């Protein structure tokens, strides 16, 4: 168990005035359980620590049977931008983009701090490689049917993640030998590629550092504990916590209290790791962006990349392990799609595979939106408040910063009205 004591900063003390917090100040400290240590769970944990009043005593338990980033979040390809496959700005995409970049910066700063003191042996985690690779993302136009749609959508881009419409020559300067069939590509120079595993570990380190850093302030006491065990039923937490935040992705449906009640579909995705053999001399360029198409290429370095992803709907297999047959089938499916845009990929060799089980939300007029809100109406008359942050689908990395902040503020204030109605309306359609 990891345990630190600290004080939280006075960021939202004026508006955090819920009966739960006020009563807890005169009794025992409020105790919160966050279920899941992926994108959603770690964002909620960070924001609970960051947003709570500095004089509030607070205890947070973070539950994950595997540990940090052990589920689908840790398997994510890590391509980050606020647009749909047709480069249309997603609903509330600007806010999601801004808050995600903040958390990425916080995680990088935590690792930088660790590296400065690593010689003292105070930290034992290894952060080899990058957390954020800043080379942009390139999306070639691949068919005439969508060319005009892509072109129109590209006109409405976010400040801080612009879309440049470039010709074939410009695209080939970025990625030599790229196939640009319609002499047009859409380049997002500020889009990034995130190493999900390193990022999640770094964000947890940032939570630890925040707890530790604020402990010298002399105000309320904070505790953060990682519990490496599963929760089989929500009711087993009833007597111990004031609020439980469920951030379990596809596994939320395995809780008996929620089984069959969430409008989620599961989808297993396999991602392949490819490397450039030693006998091939031409590296992927240092400045080369990652590539979006029917299959995407998330560049890890000059001679390493991830290729994804498959979509196996209705799968219940949440294991990150990929069998030889499953990997072979994924390679047969993805390689022709990737080589249609980047023919050189056929010279790369298979180096491994991993998989995750996505929790896909229903389609709305605003697109596929995650599910947020209090779920006590599912559970009966309970003293504890139960909250859900789920259905992030394949956009968990983009959504997690903003939605984690919204959820933390709603929990701290016991006020679901903080959350936009578009994210809670799913409860009215059951």
């Amino acid at each position: 168990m990891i345990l630190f004591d600290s004080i939280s900063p006075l960021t939202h003390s004026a508006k955090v005035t819920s009966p739960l917090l006020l009563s807890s100040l005169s009794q025992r400290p409020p105790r919160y359980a966050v279920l899941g240590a992926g994108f959603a769970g770690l964002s909620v944990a960070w924001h609970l620590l960051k947003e709570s009043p500095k004089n509030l005593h607070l205890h947070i338990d973070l539950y994950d049977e595997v540990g940090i980033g052990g589920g689908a979040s840790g398997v994510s390809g890590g391509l980050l931008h606020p647009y749909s496959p047709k480069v249309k700005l997603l609903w509330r995409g600007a806010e999601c983009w801004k808050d995600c970049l903040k958390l990425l910066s916080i995680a990088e700063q935590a690792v930088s701090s660790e590296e400065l003191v690593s010689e003292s042996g105070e930290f034992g985690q290894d952060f080899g490689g990058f957390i954020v690779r800043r080379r942009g993302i390139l999306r070639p136009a691949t068919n005439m049917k969508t060319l005009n749609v892509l072109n129109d959508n590209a006109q409405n881009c976010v400040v801080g993640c612009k879309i440049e419409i470039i010709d074939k020559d410009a695209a080939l300067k970025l990625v030599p030998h790229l196939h640009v069939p319609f002499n047009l590509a859409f380049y997002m120079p500020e889009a990034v590629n995130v190493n999900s595993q390193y990022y999640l570990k770094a964000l947890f380190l940032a939570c630890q550092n925040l707890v530790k850093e604020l402990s010298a302030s002399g105000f309320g006491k904070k505790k953060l504990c990682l519990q490496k065990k599963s929760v089989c039923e929500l009711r087993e937490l009833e007597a111990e916590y004031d609020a439980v935040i469920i951030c379990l992705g596809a596994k939320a449906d395995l809780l008996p209290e929620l089984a069959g009640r969430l409008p989620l579909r599961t989808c297993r995705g396999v991602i392949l790791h490819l490397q450039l053999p030693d006998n091939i001399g031409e590296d992927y360029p240092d400045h080369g962006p990652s590539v979006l198409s029917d299959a995407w290429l998330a560049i890890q370095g000059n001679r390493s990349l991830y290729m994804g992803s498959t979509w196996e709907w209705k799968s219940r297999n949440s294991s990150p392990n990929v069998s030889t047959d499953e990997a072979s089938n994924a390679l047969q499916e993805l390689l022709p799609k990737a080589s249609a845009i980047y023919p050189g990929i056929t010279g790369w060799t298979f180096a491994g595979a991993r998989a995750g089980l996505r929790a896909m939300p229903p389609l709305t007029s605003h697109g596929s939106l995650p599910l947020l809100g209090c779920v006590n109406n599912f559970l009966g008359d309970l003293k504890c408040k139960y909250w859900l942050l789920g259905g992030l689908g394949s956009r968990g990395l983009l959504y997690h910063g903003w939605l984690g902040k919204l959820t933390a503020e709603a929990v701290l204030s016991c006020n679901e009205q903080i959350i936009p109605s578009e994210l809670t309306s799913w409860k009215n359609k059951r």
Side-chain angles (χ1 to χ4, degrees):
M1 182 174 73
I2 300 171
L3 177 64
F4 293 94
D5 294 338
S6 97
I7 319 310
S8 84
L10 183 58
T11 53
H12 283 259
S13 59
K15 63 182 178 183
V16 179
T17 56
S18 72
L20 177 122
L21 295 186
L22 291 176
S23 63
S24 296
L25 287 172
S26 60
Q27 301 173 16
R28 66 164 175 79
R31 295 175 61 90
Y32 297 150
V34 179
L35 310 187
F39 292 137
L42 284 171
S43 177
V44 168
W46 167 264
H47 285 103
L48 285 172
L49 291 167
K50 191 72 174 175
E51 304 289 331
S52 56
K54 68 177 182 179
N55 61 338
L56 177 69
H57 298 286
L58 182 64
H59 183 113
I60 300 171
D61 283 327
L62 181 64
Y63 285 85
D64 197 297
E65 61 184 328
V66 180
I68 304 301
S73 294
V75 180
S76 166
L79 296 182
L80 179 62
H81 59 86
Y83 304 106
S84 76
K86 295 181 181 178
V87 298
K88 181 180 180 181
L89 181 62
L90 296 169
W91 180 81
R92 306 297 280 267
E95 289 155 289
C96 293
W97 174 252
K98 179 182 176 182
D99 284 331
C100 185
L101 291 185
K102 283 182 181 179
L103 283 188
L104 290 176
S105 177
I106 288 164
E108 289 184 306
Q109 289 171 19
V111 172
S112 296
S113 299
E114 180 209 23
E115 290 171 349
L116 289 174
V117 298
S118 60
E119 293 184 2
S120 69
E122 185 175 352
F123 296 95
Q125 300 184 52
D126 178 21
F127 291 96
F130 67 90
I131 293 178
V132 183
R133 186 177 189 271
R134 295 174 172 86
R135 303 291 191 279
I137 296 176
L138 189 63
R139 167 76 158 92
T142 55
N143 65 74
M144 187 60 71
K145 183 178 180 181
T146 60
L147 181 59
N148 291 334
V149 175
L150 289 166
N151 200 35
D152 291 343
N153 288 340
Q155 309 306 315
N156 181 29
C157 56
V158 171
V159 175
C161 192
K162 61 188 175 185
I163 301 173
E164 298 178 0
I165 302 175
I166 62 176
D167 63 16
K168 180 177 180 179
D169 290 341
L172 290 175
K173 287 180 181 178
L174 292 169
V175 183
H177 315 302
L178 189 74
H179 184 47
V180 188
F182 292 94
N183 194 37
L184 205 65
F186 300 85
Y187 179 43
M188 297 171 271
E190 294 154 310
V192 299
N193 180 14
V194 178
N195 186 315
S196 300
Q197 276 285 345
Y198 288 155
Y199 165 61
L200 290 166
K201 291 177 181 178
L203 185 56
F204 182 59
L205 177 63
C207 291
Q208 294 175 325
N209 287 350
L210 178 60
V211 169
K212 192 174 183 182
E213 169 194 335
L214 298 173
S215 63
S217 300
F219 292 96
K221 182 184 292 185
K222 296 272 196 294
K223 292 184 179 179
L224 171 67
C225 304
L226 174 63
Q227 307 282 2
K228 290 188 71 173
K229 59 184 179 181
S230 60
V231 174
C232 298
E233 295 185 359
L234 293 175
R235 293 181 184 277
E236 69 186 66
L237 306 175
E238 170 69 11
E240 192 172 353
Y241 297 100
D242 298 283
V244 176
I245 304 97
I246 304 154
C247 306
L248 291 172
K251 291 186 176 181
D253 194 56
L254 298 179
L255 295 167
E257 296 92 343
L258 297 180
R261 296 187 172 192
L262 303 178
L264 296 173
R265 297 182 297 163
T266 56
C267 182
R268 180 172 171 84
V270 175
I271 294 174
L272 303 175
H273 182 202
L274 302 183
Q275 292 179 332
L276 198 58
D278 293 338
N279 61 353
I280 296 181
E282 186 175 5
D283 292 353
Y284 198 87
D286 280 330
H287 63 269
S290 295
V291 180
L292 286 178
S293 186
D294 292 337
W296 48 257
L297 302 176
I299 308 304
Q300 305 299 298
N302 299 105
R303 308 181 74 86
S304 176
L305 61 80
Y306 290 120
M307 179 172 68
S309 167
T310 62
W311 293 77
E312 183 187 350
W313 291 97
K314 298 183 179 180
S315 173
R316 305 297 293 181
N317 182 5
S318 61
S319 172
N321 300 320
V322 177
S323 69
T324 301
D325 286 345
E326 188 178 25
S328 177
N329 290 338
L331 192 63
Q332 291 179 34
E333 176 184 342
L334 296 174
L335 192 59
K337 296 177 180 179
S339 62
I341 289 298
Y342 185 58
I345 196 68
T346 56
W348 294 56
T349 57
F350 174 77
R354 53 186 186 167
L357 189 64
R358 311 176 186 95
M360 305 299 294
L363 185 64
T364 74
S365 59
H366 299 287
S368 297
L369 301 184
L371 313 181
L372 272 70
C374 181
V375 292
N376 277 48
N377 57 329
F378 292 0
L379 307 175
D381 185 20
L382 299 173
K383 294 181 181 179
C384 177
K385 281 282 190 180
Y386 292 87
W387 300 81
L388 176 71
L389 170 48
L392 276 65
S394 59
R395 297 184 178 130
L397 180 58
L398 174 67
Y399 284 138
H400 80 294
W402 183 53
L403 298 186
K405 181 173 68 173
L406 283 177
T407 301
E409 290 178 350
V411 170
L412 288 166
S413 62
C414 283
N415 182 11
E416 191 182 58
Q417 300 304 310
I418 287 174
I419 302 171
S421 60
E422 292 90 343
L423 300 171
T424 60
S425 61
W426 64 273
K427 295 194 292 180
N428 303 324
K429 301 174 183 178
R430 293 187 298 118

